Amino acid sequence: MRALRILLIFVVILGGLFVIADRLAVNFAEDEAADRLKTTENLAATPDVSIKGFPFLTQVVGGSLDDIEVGIKNYEAATGNGDGAQKIRIDDLRADMKGVEFSGDYSSATATSATGTATIAYDELLKTAKSEPTQVAPGVTANVVGLSDGGNGKIKVTVEATVLGNELPEPVSVLSSVTVVDGGTVRVKADGLPKFAGVDLAENRVRSITDFQQKIDGLPGGIQLDQVQAAPDGVEITVKGSNVRLAG
């Protein structure tokens, strides 16, 4: 009986030491992965990396990890204009990567699939709209001055206009739908057309102001836009991808 008790104590101690070693190893791996991701994606700040699943060490021996969560507070994505100069800030990008396999020297890692969420603030998306006064008809100029949550998944687009040199006393607004087109472009399209002081304008003229789109390139690891929806703080986006590069 005494020998059995000693054996049980020994097993408990070994189990405790294994758990401690496993947690130390996963913490080290998370820090290393975060540093590599920061370098690979040229990030301004170190991202959050959380390796899920237990035990970690047996996953390493098997050559793959079940689940890794990555969080990037602010990500500067390319806008697809060709010169690489313009960027759009994407806030709170969080990606859940499944089936992460890594090379023998741990220099690279690739996820079988990834899904995630993020937000594009309205002030960032506003940079895409025509914020400078543009002539939409003889004697009529207009420009977008604000974007906000219109409720029910719509964006409220606020437009200021000047008719025959006189600025309208109140801006006009229109509710717009936001969608993803061509796999990587956020499109904002008015559901209806506003009128400026009762002036009827050609639809294409009005839409040249109210409607706009923004291409977003170069999301981390090759993930892509999937869906978008207007929300109180901005446009919420979901992303997805396959064979997503985590590092290397």
Side-chain angles (χ1 to χ4, degrees):
M1 198 67 166
R2 175 185 170 87
L4 179 59
R5 187 180 299 112
I6 292 174
L7 178 61
L8 289 174
I9 293 173
F10 183 69
V11 169
V12 169
I13 292 174
L14 282 181
L17 291 175
F18 175 79
V19 171
I20 293 172
D22 191 81
R23 294 302 89 190
L24 289 174
V26 76
N27 289 338
F28 175 79
E30 288 171 346
D31 291 342
E32 285 293 306
D35 288 340
R36 288 181 183 271
L37 184 58
K38 178 183 178 182
T39 300
T40 301
E41 299 294 339
N42 194 28
L43 302 177
T46 303
D48 296 325
V49 175
S50 179
I51 299 174
K52 304 298 182 180
F54 178 83
F56 166 71
L57 292 174
T58 57
Q59 294 183 67
V60 172
V61 171
S64 67
L65 302 176
D66 296 334
D67 189 357
I68 296 180
E69 292 183 359
V70 176
I72 302 175
K73 193 66 177 177
N74 297 308
Y75 184 79
E76 298 288 333
T79 57
N81 62 357
D83 60 12
Q86 292 187 344
K87 302 286 186 178
I88 186 169
R89 188 185 76 249
I90 297 178
D91 299 325
D92 298 321
L93 175 60
R94 306 202 68 83
D96 187 11
M97 302 190 176
K98 303 290 189 182
V100 180
E101 298 184 355
F102 45 85
S103 60
D105 60 358
Y106 307 108
S107 61
S108 64
T110 303
T112 301
S113 64
T115 57
T117 60
T119 300
I120 301 176
Y122 287 120
D123 61 344
E124 283 293 305
L125 195 59
L126 182 60
K127 297 176 182 178
T128 304
K130 288 188 177 179
S131 56
E132 294 296 326
T134 301
Q135 183 171 313
V136 293
V140 181
T141 61
N143 60 292
V144 176
V145 295
L147 302 176
S148 59
D149 180 24
N152 297 319
K154 303 292 185 178
I155 292 179
K156 180 181 177 181
V157 179
T158 302
V159 180
E160 283 186 348
T162 298
V163 178
L164 299 176
N166 297 311
E167 184 175 309
L168 298 185
E170 295 291 337
V172 297
S173 62
V174 61
L175 293 179
S176 300
S177 298
V178 56
T179 56
V180 173
V181 296
D182 300 328
T185 298
V186 177
R187 174 180 290 173
V188 177
K189 184 176 181 180
D191 294 346
L193 300 178
K195 287 187 177 182
F196 305 109
V199 178
D200 288 320
L201 303 175
E203 179 174 348
N204 64 327
R205 293 278 190 169
V206 178
R207 289 197 178 279
S208 70
I209 301 297
T210 60
D211 298 0
F212 57 92
Q213 61 185 32
Q214 177 63 73
K215 185 172 178 60
I216 298 176
D217 284 339
L219 291 174
I223 56 177
Q224 293 184 330
L225 294 180
D226 183 27
Q227 297 179 352
V228 291
Q229 181 174 332
D233 297 327
V235 175
E236 293 182 348
I237 67 175
T238 59
V239 297
K240 67 178 182 179
S242 56
N243 298 321
V244 176
R245 186 185 70 256
L246 179 61

